[in-house]
Amino acid sequence: DQQVKQNSPSLSVQEGRISILNCDYTNSMFDYFLWYKKYPAEGPTFLISISSIKDKNEDGRFTVFLNKSAKHLSLHIVPSQPGDSAVYFCAAPRDSGYALNFGKGTSLLVTP
Amino acid sequence: EADIYQTPRYLVIGTGKKITLECSQTMGHDKMYWYQQDPGMELHLIHYSYGVNSTEKGDLSSESTVSRIRTEHFPLTLESARPSHTSQYLCAVSLNTEAFFGQGTRLTVV
């Protein structure tokens, strides 16, 4: 049973516009969420995270919003740049230990 | 941030061969993980270790095995590779909740 879900496999956005990537989760015990960016044939790189005690975390062009009542989080990228084109994974630590549950990812394409 | 090294980056190998994928880290973190990922799919945890001589299987059933004889080294071995093992294998290290990944090994079994 997948506890972290990314229901949009792909997203295309024009350069300079906002990219919004969505993530839903089912486990209300999750208390921390992470976003990773992945290029083909490379490992994921950590992008930004948010604790469940917050509803927003911002780092430069990247902002993550958390709506606990809806069990939903989103990653906003403003302004989008061609170099942002990659697969973005949403993740949450498991109940025990620190291994992560990942969504299936959303492939973002930023066009010039 | 941990420095994590995976070798080889790419490997094409014939069915039935034994292979070992290497993963090393330089930061001395106890927690290490192996994930497997196919295009369009989530990363699946296949093995993890919380320290020397500690290894556990993850969620995804895997015919691979791992060892943790030294803190910095967490190799993954396939005794007899099959085409179904074709995938990307990702090694990760964590101190707390954030995991840091190596560049991965893209394995193709023909």
Side-chain angles (χ1 to χ4, degrees):
Chain A
D1 181 34
Q2 197 174 13
Q3 299 185 59
V4 178
K5 300 179 183 180
Q6 294 177 259
N7 294 317
S8 298
S10 62
L11 174 68
S12 183
V13 171
Q14 276 192 318
E15 182 178 6
R17 306 292 289 266
I18 184 171
S19 296
I20 300 176
L21 298 102
N22 294 304
C23 178
D24 298 295
Y25 61 95
T26 58
N27 189 341
S28 58
M29 298 299 291
F30 286 155
D31 60 2
Y32 198 81
F33 301 91
L34 308 93
W35 284 94
Y36 283 85
K37 176 181 179 180
K38 185 180 185 297
Y39 293 116
E42 293 190 12
T45 55
F46 171 73
L47 199 57
I48 191 170
S49 62
I50 188 167
S51 165
S52 61
I53 62 173
K54 294 185 175 182
D55 54 19
K56 177 183 174 181
N57 188 28
E58 189 173 354
D59 184 2
R61 295 186 298 115
F62 303 91
T63 303
V64 57
F65 296 92
L66 175 62
N67 183 334
K68 288 192 292 290
S69 60
K71 295 193 181 69
H72 177 84
L73 61 155
S74 60
L75 174 67
H76 293 214
I77 306 174
V78 182
S80 301
Q81 300 173 354
D84 296 328
S85 297
V87 178
Y88 290 79
F89 289 95
C90 175
R94 293 157 178 250
D95 295 339
S96 59
Y98 295 102
L100 296 171
N101 289 303
F102 284 88
K104 291 187 176 182
T106 296
S107 179
L108 173 65
L109 177 65
V110 180
T111 57
Chain B
E1 185 171 327
D3 291 323
I4 308 155
Y5 306 97
Q6 287 189 248
T7 57
R9 290 289 308 280
Y10 302 92
L11 179 62
V12 180
I13 200 162
T15 297
K17 298 291 186 182
K18 177 180 178 179
I19 58 170
T20 296
L21 308 184
E22 301 288 350
C23 176
S24 295
Q25 51 120 345
T26 60
M27 297 301 290
H29 294 332
D30 286 330
K31 299 180 184 67
M32 296 188 74
Y33 313 86
W34 277 101
Y35 290 86
Q36 185 175 338
Q37 198 249 338
D38 295 309
M41 299 298 292
E42 65 266 46
L43 281 71
H44 288 287
L45 180 70
I46 52 175
H47 297 283
Y48 60 97
S49 168
Y50 288 163
V52 171
N53 295 326
S54 155
T55 61
E56 300 287 345
K57 287 190 177 292
D59 301 327
L60 186 66
S61 176
S62 174
E63 293 162 350
S64 58
T65 59
V66 292
S67 62
R68 190 88 183 274
I69 299 171
R70 303 197 316 264
T71 298
E72 62 270 21
H73 197 212
F74 192 38
L76 180 146
T77 298
L78 276 166
E79 290 292 334
S80 179
R82 294 207 300 268
S84 61
H85 296 139
T86 294
S87 189
Q88 185 179 35
Y89 292 83
L90 297 159
C91 180
V93 171
S94 70
L95 178 60
N96 293 307
T97 48
E98 293 169 19
F100 300 96
F101 286 82
Q103 290 193 298
T105 295
R106 167 59 66 183
L107 173 66
T108 302
V109 184
V110 297

